[in-house]
Amino acid sequence: MLSAVNMATDPTYIDVAIALPVETTFTYRVPDDMRPLALPGKRVLVPFGKRRVTGYMLGFCERHDLKSIKDILDVPDEIPLFPESMIPFFKWIADYYMYPIGEVIKCALPGGLNMYDFTLVEITESGREVITDPSLTPVEQKMLRHIANGPSSFTDIFKNFGKKISGSLIRRLEDRGLITTRRTLKRSRVNPNTERYVVLNEHTTLPESMSVQRQKIIDRLRMEKEVSLKTLTQMVPSAGRMIKSMADAGYVSVVHRRVYRDPFGEAIQPDTLHTLTQEQENVTANILRSLGKGYSAHLLTGVTGSGKTEVYMRLAAEAIQRGYSVIILVPEIALISQMERRFRSRFGDCVALLHSGLSDGERYDQWMRIVSGEASIALGARSAVFAPFKHIGMIVVDEEHDPSYKQESSLRYHARDLAVVRAKQSGCTVLLGSATPSIQSYYNAVTKKFSQGVLTERVENRPLPEVAIVDLREYRDGRGAKKIITPSLHRAMKETLERGEQVLLFLNRRGFSSLSVCASCGEAIRCKNCDISLTFHKEENVYKCHYCGFCLLSNSKCTSCGSSSFQLLGLGTEKVEAAVQSLFPEARVSRMDRDTITRKESIVSILRALKNREIDVLVGTQMVAKGHDFPHITLVGIICADLSLNFPDFRAGERTFQLLAQVAGRAGRGDTPGRVILQTFNPQHFSILTAKDQDFKAFYGTEILYRKALNYPPFSRIIQIRIAGKDKNKTGRYAHDMGRVCQAIQKRDKTFLTSIEILGPIEASLQKIAAHYRWQILLKGISSQSLHQFVHCLFLERIYKTASKDIQIVIDVDPLYMM
């Protein structure tokens, strides 16, 4: 046993999380000269096996007498990238989502920061001399010719030659002296941005006569003391050359200053406080009573257009006034532009943006503004939950129901849930807001885990839109545009456009035709990599897979019969756009979906055009349903309300209700009352009827009974085990073997027999995606702890450890995507 002295932490040794998929942390020694630099939250460069990799310092650890402990190599950061108070948060995430802590921190930080070793392969002079030697195989000759043009990494070589090049072949060429390999360090691709500034040296005697241009520079420096060289060059084009000679003469000095890359758009005019409604006043006052008094969780529900954003801003202003920081989460980048404008107009430059639409450099700068205390509000998508604040007063999750808060790759976290956890650990207030809350959050409010605030009226007492349901079964024999836009919707659009008002048409499917079949044999055009038909995109003139990106040209032939004639069935936003243009040729029509929103500027451009009334009809997917405020849209047409209703997923009804209620809420947000035409093949479904009435309580009352009967969340917790592989038979066998192992683990432990239900293994609804065959096992139980214990037992089994690169296993805790 270690003595009391040895149990104390020692600044000589640090605990490091490696930015690699390894489960544990590692201990390293800090050399004496680096000891003043070593602080929790900083990156360190450390040796790891034969490589040098990035690690993150978690803290000092116990004194060790082991001689094998390695030294850290470098501490590249001047200040910590995250506060020490966030380390327990990262550890909780790693444990709950069963993900390596180094990878958790890497996911949280801005991209491009990590340093790592890689191997370069270079040709020797002997290698150049024998490139055409017949004793070499064709593959060896080809590889030597490739690296003769310059050193190549292993990744580049394997990418160009694939399975033709093996590690043994490279070693053989190296042993013969034809190539050499060396390890080299790839540095961070993101660094602080600096700019040159010019300073007038004090107590320097300037010459009496000076050119007009030099005098102009001196006068500007006397006024402002320090001016960027860029600004001086705009004033005097030859300033760069002049400054160099003036600096050599000792008249001025050139210094480098840290500057931030600006991700924001045009300047925004400050706004004034809006008068709160009585409901808004009551909700705000109730939440403020808990601010600064430890952890509290609140759910703010209310009809669309009831002014939830104004409540967020009032609460944020009070939190900042009390010396706290605030995190504001929105579900998608498309929403950030509008929210950014409102918060910047109210709070100015203390707002920082954090989302994946920024460049690595911009995101790094915004992150460092938070670290340095220059920003007190972080606004962004799900990754903004990691904003490195020390003293958080409030975390707001807007549109908390939105599935975009769940990350579906790498670290599969849910930002809403992490917001609640971080609020608990930070002892602050968390506010979840939505007009259509998730069943989980509303259940937490019903069971008193969350406090609930309700806004029942729209701002300025604007009425909710009048919703009319149209039964599409009556128009199934229609043709052309009239099959897409029924007579009722057509009449309403005509009346709306004649009044000079705007129309929003919603269809949650992009492309032109969702199903294309051969006119000769009836075979659908399918993706070669996925178990799904291709969508025809008329604008690009290609058939495209929305899962893996595979494309076929429009002149491709049927793989079954060779015919080049196809029927374009189904519909998407492109077809709706074309139908509108044919029915209303004078209307200005635009489309907002993932095909048109390729850059952050595209989103801003469309929203600005809509605001300036340069668009008459906007056609869009779910992007247009989320929190946008379009005051001149008085008619919303829902082309087909059923697309998400029949998914093989227990949340299908919930998602359908939320989408329909949200998109209907875009109508009538200005002075003119709104209308909604809801087209559906299922007019009697409870999700459709309750969405028509904007009645969440009625929807919840029906849906919660189904969940309870089937023991689905919120009455249980789920962990999904996803199994994927390129070999269909091998993947299926592996899935069944893992299923048998799960059954064996359950039988060995009686607590698992009563606490966990094993569903599967079963083929996924989409059996093949991106050339991988997919199976899944669902583990369902009341206790999250017992589910985690079960999975940890599975980690120890041989079948889990022997999963090769041919079989991929993903553990998804609290999955949302069940397909």
Side-chain angles (χ1 to χ4, degrees), residues 119 175 199 266 578 581 625 684 745 775 786 790:
T119 301
D175 290 343
V199 182
E266 75 273 14
Q581 288 171 336
Q684 299 305 315
I745 293 172
W775 287 72
S786 64
F790 186 94

Side-chain angles (χ1 to χ4, degrees), residues 511-567:
F512 185 85
S513 166
S514 57
L515 177 63
S516 302
V517 299
C518 175
S520 298
C521 68
E523 187 71 22
I525 302 180
R526 305 187 72 81
C527 176
K528 71 172 186 178
N529 302 317
C530 305
D531 184 27
I532 195 167
S533 58
L534 298 180
T535 298
F536 180 62
H537 287 249
K538 192 172 185 178
E539 201 169 273
E540 299 174 66
N541 209 25
V542 295
Y543 298 99
K544 186 183 293 186
C545 176
H546 291 170
Y547 286 89
C548 73
F550 172 74
C551 293
L552 280 177
L553 295 176
S554 60
N555 58 1
S556 300
K557 295 184 177 181
C558 175
T559 54
S560 296
C561 69
S563 172
S564 57
S565 177
F566 294 96
Q567 287 185 312

Side-chain angles (χ1 to χ4, degrees), residues 469-518:
I469 293 179
V470 175
D471 190 345
L472 284 175
R473 293 173 297 183
E474 297 177 9
Y475 301 98
R476 61 178 57 184
D477 295 327
R479 293 184 174 275
K482 292 183 179 179
K483 188 173 183 178
I484 299 170
I485 297 173
T486 60
S488 299
L489 179 55
H490 183 255
R491 276 193 307 274
M493 290 178 66
K494 187 172 183 292
E495 293 166 2
T496 303
L497 294 174
E498 286 174 350
R499 291 195 301 267
E501 296 160 3
Q502 293 172 310
V503 178
L504 172 65
L505 297 181
F506 169 75
L507 179 69
N508 204 23
R509 181 174 286 162
R510 59 193 173 100
F512 185 85
S513 166
S514 57
L515 177 63
S516 302
V517 299
C518 175

